[in-house]
């Protein structure tokens, strides 16, 4: 479906008219037969709640009809002012607040505004894995977490958060300081919630021999 990491997306109204055309981009290695996460931003000019169909189209560089394919989903979208939001914190190291960085476990909170949900831990981690924005970077924040990390599962039991993440988390990771920082970013992001006292990180089900320096 993906060609050179991208594929087209069409947004149709209830009359079947195209109201928006855009491009989705894969978040990881796209030359694979496995499922790949992708992202796109849908920005619609709305004055009321509307129903739209999002059509994900196969990239067809040949333009041959027999190579066409698509998948679609119907969703309800609302104007921004009608969406109830909440704030969560994500944690990053900061080269300006901590120029010497003698303690690699020190990370600092940055507030993100997100759509209100009961799955606050998962939303906070997803925001963390999105990394820093331009404003964060100018303020000295940075991340040691690889792009493309996904949550496989997240559960909380008796004050312990168990989070299982994709192998992307440890790809190319080296050095005890970086490993300590990665663990701190994830742990502190989850420990902001009153139900979490400690965090157990696993990668594709494994807790031992992961995130080795």
């Amino acid at each position: 479906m993906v060609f050179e990491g991208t594929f087209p997306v069409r947004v149709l109204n209830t009359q079947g008219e195209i109201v928006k055309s855009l491009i989705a981009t894969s978040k990881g290695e796209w030359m694979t037969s496995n499922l790949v996460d992708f992202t796109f931003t849908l920005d619609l000019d709305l004055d009321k709640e509307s129903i739209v169909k999002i059509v994900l189209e196969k990239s067809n560089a040949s333009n041959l009809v027999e190579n066409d394919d698509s998948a679609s989903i119907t969703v309800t979208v609302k104007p921004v002012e009608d969406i109830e939001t909440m704030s969560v914190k994500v944690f990053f190291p900061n080269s300006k607040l901590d120029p010497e960085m003698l303690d690699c476990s020190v990370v600092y909170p940055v507030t993100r505004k997100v759509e209100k949900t009961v799955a606050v831990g998962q939303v906070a981690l997803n925001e963390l894995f999105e990394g820093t924005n331009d404003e964060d970077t100018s303020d000295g924040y940075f991340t040691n977490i690889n792009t493309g990390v996904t949550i496989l599962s997240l559960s909380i039991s008796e004050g312990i958060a168990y989070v299982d993440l994709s192998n992307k988390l440890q790809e190319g990771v080296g050095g005890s300081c970086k490993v300590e920082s990665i663990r701190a970013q994830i742990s502190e992001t989850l420990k902001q919630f009153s139900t979490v006292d400690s965090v157990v990180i696993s990668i594709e089900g494994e807790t031992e021999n992961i995130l080795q320096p």
Side-chain angles (χ1 to χ4, degrees):
M1 186 168 182
V2 179
F3 178 71
E4 294 187 348
T6 65
F7 61 90
V9 177
R10 310 282 182 241
V11 183
L12 284 62
N13 61 20
T14 52
Q15 288 76 45
E17 301 167 332
I18 296 176
V19 296
K20 182 76 74 171
S21 297
L22 48 119
I23 297 295
T25 304
S26 62
K27 296 178 67 175
E29 174 55 52
W30 59 274
M31 295 184 67
T32 174
S33 58
N34 297 325
L35 295 176
V36 177
D37 291 330
F38 62 87
T39 181
F40 63 86
T41 300
L42 176 57
D43 184 9
L44 296 175
D45 185 12
L46 298 174
D47 56 10
K48 63 180 180 179
E49 182 177 302
S50 302
I51 296 174
V52 298
K53 178 183 286 187
I54 299 176
V55 182
L56 312 176
E57 299 183 353
K58 178 180 179 180
S59 289
N60 183 5
S62 67
N63 290 319
L64 296 175
V65 175
E66 58 265 32
N67 290 333
D68 284 341
D69 199 3
S70 66
S72 64
I73 181 173
T74 300
V75 298
T76 300
V77 290
K78 299 178 180 180
V80 172
E81 58 267 23
D82 292 343
I83 298 176
E84 192 173 0
T85 62
M86 66 181 197
S87 295
V88 296
K89 296 176 182 177
V90 292
F91 286 76
F92 300 114
N94 187 296
S95 59
K96 291 184 178 180
L97 296 175
D98 185 18
E100 295 185 2
M101 296 187 181
L102 298 178
D103 185 349
C104 300
S105 68
V106 175
V107 288
Y108 300 87
V110 176
T111 300
R112 295 281 194 262
K113 184 173 287 188
V114 298
E115 186 174 351
K116 191 171 183 179
T117 177
V118 295
V120 290
Q122 184 156 335
V123 167
L125 281 182
N126 283 333
E127 289 292 319
L128 174 67
F129 297 154
E130 286 293 326
T132 54
N133 56 34
D134 291 341
E135 183 179 354
D136 299 332
T137 302
S138 65
D139 289 338
Y141 296 98
F142 64 96
T143 183
N144 282 306
I145 297 174
N146 291 329
T147 57
V149 175
T150 57
I151 302 170
L152 302 182
S153 67
L154 173 61
S155 62
I156 301 172
S157 176
E158 298 182 346
I160 304 174
Y162 299 88
V163 57
D164 190 33
L165 303 170
S166 62
N167 192 59
K168 193 71 176 179
L169 182 68
Q170 62 183 354
E171 285 186 4
V173 172
S176 58
C177 185
K178 188 170 184 178
V179 167
E180 188 175 4
S181 181
I182 290 170
R183 288 186 176 275
Q185 286 188 248
I186 295 170
S187 295
E188 294 305 313
T189 295
L190 287 172
K191 285 165 65 178
Q192 71 182 285
F193 304 110
S194 59
T195 54
V196 178
D197 298 317
S198 60
V199 178
V200 174
I201 300 170
S202 61
I203 295 178
E204 298 187 355
E206 297 293 329
T207 56
E208 298 183 4
N209 300 317
I210 63 168
L211 290 173
Q212 294 298 310

